[in-house]
Amino acid sequence: FAFFFSSRRRHTRSSLVSWARRCVQETALMVSKMEIEPVSAEQPTAQQTEKTGVETAKSKEIVEFSLEVVYKGPSTYVIAFHKREIYPTLDLSSRENSKPISSQIQVINIGYVGEDNTPFVLTNTYIQNSFAPLFHSFENVRYQKGTAEEEDKRSTGLGKVHSKIAELSLAILQCQQNLEIPEIQLSIDQEIRNVVKKAKSENRKVTLSDFDEQMKNPDFLNGLQYRVNQWVKEIRKVTKLTRDCSTGSALQEVNFWLNLEKVLLHLKEQIAQPEIDMTLQLLNSARRFHVMTSFENDIELDSAITRVSGYNHLMRNFPINALVSAQSIEQISKALNDIFDQLKKALKGVECTYPANRLQSFIEAISRDVTAQMIKVLTGLKIMNMEFGDFRDIIKACEDGIFQAWDKWSKESREATRVLGQRQGQNIVINNATLEHEQLKKRLSSLLGFRSQHNKLQDVINKVLTQGDKGTSGEDDSASKALRIAYNIVTSIDVLDIKDTEGWETAKKNYDNKIDKIETDITKQLKDKLATAGNANEMFRIFNKFNALFIRPKIRAAIQEYQTRLLDTVQKDIESLREKFLSDKQGSVIMSKLRDIPAISGKIIWARQIEKKLAAYMERVKDVLGPNWETHQEGKHLKEIGEQFKKKLNMQESVEAWQTEMAAPNVADMQISSPLFLVVQKKDKYELVVNFDEKVTTLFKEVRNLTQLGFRILYAVKKKSDNAKLILSLIPI
């Protein structure tokens, strides 16, 4: 306000007081500044300036004040001060209980120097970058996810505000694009207008006889001829109007043809007016035939209307608005599917005359719109700052809902373009479309890979360096802090700027340089621990703790010497175990005698103990080589040795052979009715023996153990086992 008063010193004190009173009572005060280049004579040279001391004229600044907000054009800086509604009058006093001026007014920039300084661009910028994010953040703070009541508030209150904000932004964008097509208003001679108006008041049609006097005046006819020639020029501006579909958005393409049709139909309505018709009749009566011929043939209005109407068979009801106003990935996906459905439906109709060679450019424009909207939504979500699980879900939603749908449509669009070209008599050469969303797809895939590696490294560092060793807490804090600093390098750039590939690659390179330092520190720590290890078992424990870090090439290369040594130890242990299994045939026999376990079951238990030992050795291989041990050459070799050994430990064939033997008829099936004793002749003596086969004695024990070990028993063998078990239960011990 001090500046305001100082700039108005020429005014009287009363006028200044009056302005001050109005300022504190009005709701807005606008301050604008415009630079005006002076109009001067020939500018002096630098040598002349040195000699004379006269400088060239400088530009003049004009500062204006207004108590209402007005548009000042693209070459003016404008700031508006708005008084808050709760204050009817600004309180400028210095009392203790007075409100500070900063809490009573709000300041907003509503003008800058630039060709794009229009109310459309300015308002849309504030909506997209300030008001929409403001409401989103307010909603998240005010209504936390939880109760049904809060969800109801969200859906019935702010949800409608979000949709209205999106509609307002879309309306502003469409209004801005509608200005591309000029609205032609054909000017009519005032005398003709007056005569037609008089005829209407007399309830009759205007005729040529109403202009008998004017027809004698050559200036009147020349004026009509000039006016019609101007009509032809103005109409041709519209009928010949087209746009480059390879630039801009699909929304611009749709609105262009829809608005062009409205303008053409409006021109046709104007030409049908009696004033226009009478103007043409007068020139025809005056034998100004060349003017009439030019008007009838050169404007090509009817053909333009037919052509544009055929185009709009595709553009009419085209669901592009849902795409450009989408607020989530799900909404973009739904809008894109609706667009594809409309394309399929419209292109099949014979009424559609949209050029086949233009269709590919239109599809590329749709891709640009999809990309722009996805970037807008993803930027608002701050995907690089969200939890990795949520980030992965967002990328999956983009892949499943948008990119896969587009891949499917790409195959169909080539056929649709070919059929449309044949119907229009064109031999279309279908080239690979330049789809902008493919670049975004690659960038999102790169981001997913980057964040996956970063998340793994972060988890590994948190896991490895916090496992209870003394002194590792400080190391963990240092490594975690360094990792956060490295990640901040990436979050400091716009990762969704698909045109700035160099910036993304540079950020990744700087990130990798930071990670190299972290890996160097971890590698030093790991090598120190391995160097001080007392034996192989202690080395295995160290490798088990750090093996999650072996996905990092630098760390893996640093401990390769120790890996080779330990892998040789594991291989020797496996070979020793195999030799023990193959040579020590008495292991299962001793177990059978000591624990009263039948022979077959004893062999299986012995083999499984060996197999468990083998699994422990293979776990050591995993400890040494890391989670992806099977992809390493040494890991593949040891895995092959282990698999061959496991085949020898498989006792399935032995069990099947034993069951076949037990099910054979030569193995007696004892029944309750069988005699308990038999008289057996041995040379010249007879002996009384128990009627019980030794094989049947162990049969039910084998069946019991094999069942517990998970083997399937044949019915015939199980029946014999049940009978033997029943008979044994009848024999007193």
Side-chain angles (χ1 to χ4, degrees), residues 529-547:
K529 289 181 179 292
L530 290 173
T532 57
N535 51 49
N537 288 334
E538 190 172 345
M539 283 188 179
F540 279 122
R541 284 195 296 271
I542 295 172
F543 270 92
N544 177 263
K545 176 183 176 181
F546 285 88
N547 66 0

Side-chain angles (χ1 to χ4, degrees), residues 244-273:
D244 184 6
C245 191
S246 62
T247 61
S249 65
L251 179 64
Q252 290 176 316
E253 176 75 358
V254 172
N255 288 339
F256 175 82
W257 295 112
L258 292 176
N259 294 327
L260 181 59
E261 185 177 27
K262 292 179 183 178
V263 172
L264 292 175
L265 292 176
H266 180 61
L267 278 173
K268 192 171 182 64
E269 291 176 358
Q270 291 186 66
I271 293 175
Q273 292 177 353

